[in-house]
């Protein structure tokens, strides 16, 4: 295990050494190499395996402890903690609009900014507006039980954005406000990828700069196919889960996997 432990850090590229050690140990805990209640190697041994200082190892251990992955006891050692059975927040991110609204009602929102800005080429393309058109831009943090799990930036056409206020966004989900403003939401299209946390985003989400995040870009359309919202969401992968159900269907080209019919967009 010692050679494997050190070799795994090569998979994580140029990230700081303490972050690489954190990722390796986290992966070992998640995969059951250190079951709940079992002792991890001491800092001296880990430092030797990774050829780093004990200070570097301690920094990785501090993050694991802060995230509830381990417990450290003076004179006794470091022990793995039981893994959570589910993510604090679960949603079918390709599922029904109702699911997304329900998530909004269960979580708390902090509005970071509320402005009207000129649409960039990216935003203009998403909302099918001319470049430079005025759009509402809102940045929010969403949390559950006091733990922030997402950073959201939303862009909405000006005429819809003028129908609600900054205070409204702390009380109701944005999808509800869009419909209250006359936009009858019909569907959403989104892309899910991965990115790394910038120092600013890391500060908001309580993680480290360079930590992996889920990136979600979603365009919401009304029933007339007009784009009414473009949202860019960044989520901590340890606090947010993308869950989808697929089923096998027969098509002209053969049997394929497709989203289950009980998860309509």
């Amino acid at each position: 295990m010692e050679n494997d432990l050190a070799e795994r850090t090569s998979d994580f590229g140029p990230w700081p050494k303490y972050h690489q050690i954190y990722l390796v140990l986290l992966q070992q805990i998640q995969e059951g190499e250190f079951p709940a209640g079992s002792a991890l190697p001491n800092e001296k041994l880990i430092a030797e395996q990774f050829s780093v200082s004990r200070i570097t190892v301690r920094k990785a251990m501090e993050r694991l402890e802060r995230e509830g992955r381990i417990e450290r006891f003076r004179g006794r050692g470091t022990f793995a903690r039981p893994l959570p059975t589910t993510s604090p927040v679960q949603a079918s991110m390709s599922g029904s609009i109702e699911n997304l609204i329900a998530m909004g009602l269960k979580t708390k929102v902090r509005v970071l900014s509320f402005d009207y800005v000129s649409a960039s080429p990216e935003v203009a393309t998403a909302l099918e507006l001319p470049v430079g058109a005025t759009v509402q831009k809102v940045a929010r943090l969403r949390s559950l039980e006091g733990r922030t799990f997402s950073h959201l930036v939303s862009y909405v056409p000006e005429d819809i954005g003028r129908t609600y206020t900054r205070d409204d966004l702390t009380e109701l989900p944005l999808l509800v406000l869009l419909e209250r403003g006359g936009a009858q939401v019909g569907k959403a299209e989104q892309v899910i990828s991965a990115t790394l946390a910038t120092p600013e985003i890391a500060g908001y989400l309580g993680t480290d700069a360079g930590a992996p995040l889920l990136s979600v870009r979603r365009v919401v359309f009304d029933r007339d196919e007009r784009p009414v919202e473009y949202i860019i969401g960044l989520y901590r992968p340890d606090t947010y889960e993308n869950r989808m159900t697929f089923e096998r269907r027969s098509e002209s080209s053969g049997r394929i996997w497709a989203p289950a019919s009980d998860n309509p967009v």
Side-chain angles (χ1 to χ4, degrees):
M1 179 183 294
E2 293 184 11
N3 291 336
D4 179 60
L5 188 68
E7 289 174 359
R8 289 193 196 186
T9 59
S10 63
D11 297 332
F12 299 112
W15 290 355
K17 200 68 175 180
Y18 82 88
H19 190 69
Q20 296 180 36
I21 297 171
Y22 156 81
L23 290 173
V24 170
L25 294 175
L26 176 61
Q27 181 176 324
Q28 289 183 314
I29 293 171
Q30 291 176 329
E31 293 179 351
E33 293 185 43
F34 296 116
S38 65
L40 274 67
N42 61 41
E43 290 182 2
K44 182 175 183 298
L45 179 58
I46 295 176
E48 292 173 353
Q49 291 171 351
F50 284 100
S51 299
V52 297
S53 69
R54 292 182 64 176
I55 293 176
T56 299
V57 175
R58 190 169 298 124
K59 191 171 182 180
M61 290 294 198
E62 287 173 351
R63 177 169 177 183
L64 288 169
E65 183 177 35
R66 186 169 67 246
E67 295 181 352
R69 304 294 186 173
I70 62 173
E71 289 183 290
R72 297 193 290 176
F73 301 94
R74 186 181 298 276
R76 290 179 52 200
T78 301
F79 299 85
R81 294 192 62 188
L83 295 175
T85 55
T86 60
S87 297
V89 178
Q90 295 183 2
S92 174
M93 289 163 63
S94 68
S96 67
I97 295 298
E98 287 74 19
N99 286 345
L100 300 174
I101 291 175
M103 185 186 74
L105 294 174
K106 293 177 182 177
T107 57
K108 292 186 177 180
V109 172
R110 174 188 166 196
V111 179
L112 299 175
S113 63
F114 182 97
D115 302 294
Y116 286 88
V117 301
S118 297
S120 67
E122 177 186 353
V123 173
T125 298
L127 293 179
E128 299 179 8
L129 295 171
V131 174
T134 300
V135 294
Q136 182 197 84
K137 177 184 178 182
V138 175
R140 295 165 291 157
L141 298 178
R142 193 173 288 283
S143 62
L144 179 68
E145 298 177 353
R147 188 177 187 186
T148 302
F149 67 87
S150 70
H151 177 276
L152 309 168
V153 178
S154 300
Y155 298 89
V156 172
E158 181 182 14
D159 62 306
I160 300 174
R162 297 289 183 187
T163 65
Y164 55 86
T165 67
R166 176 177 182 142
D167 289 341
D168 289 332
L169 285 163
T170 65
E171 301 294 334
L172 292 170
L174 182 52
L175 284 175
V176 172
L177 296 174
L178 293 178
E179 295 208 325
R180 195 178 73 177
Q184 297 302 309
V185 175
K187 70 175 184 178
E189 296 176 354
Q190 69 180 20
V191 175
I192 302 174
S193 60
T195 190
L196 303 179
T198 64
E200 179 184 17
I201 298 300
Y204 285 134
L205 297 183
T207 188
D208 293 331
L213 300 175
L214 281 174
S215 173
V216 178
R217 293 174 182 264
R218 179 187 304 127
V219 181
V220 176
F221 298 84
D222 68 13
R223 293 176 183 173
D224 295 323
E225 301 288 327
R226 177 196 179 190
V228 294
E229 179 194 9
Y230 176 48
I231 182 169
I232 302 170
L234 298 175
Y235 299 82
R236 286 183 51 155
D238 60 335
T239 60
Y240 194 89
E241 182 176 273
N242 174 26
R243 178 171 296 185
M244 298 177 66
T245 301
F246 290 88
E247 59 187 13
R248 291 278 279 168
R249 295 180 184 173
S250 295
E251 301 287 347
S252 58
S253 58
R255 297 276 289 171
I256 64 170
W257 286 106
S261 56
D262 61 349
N263 284 330
V265 173

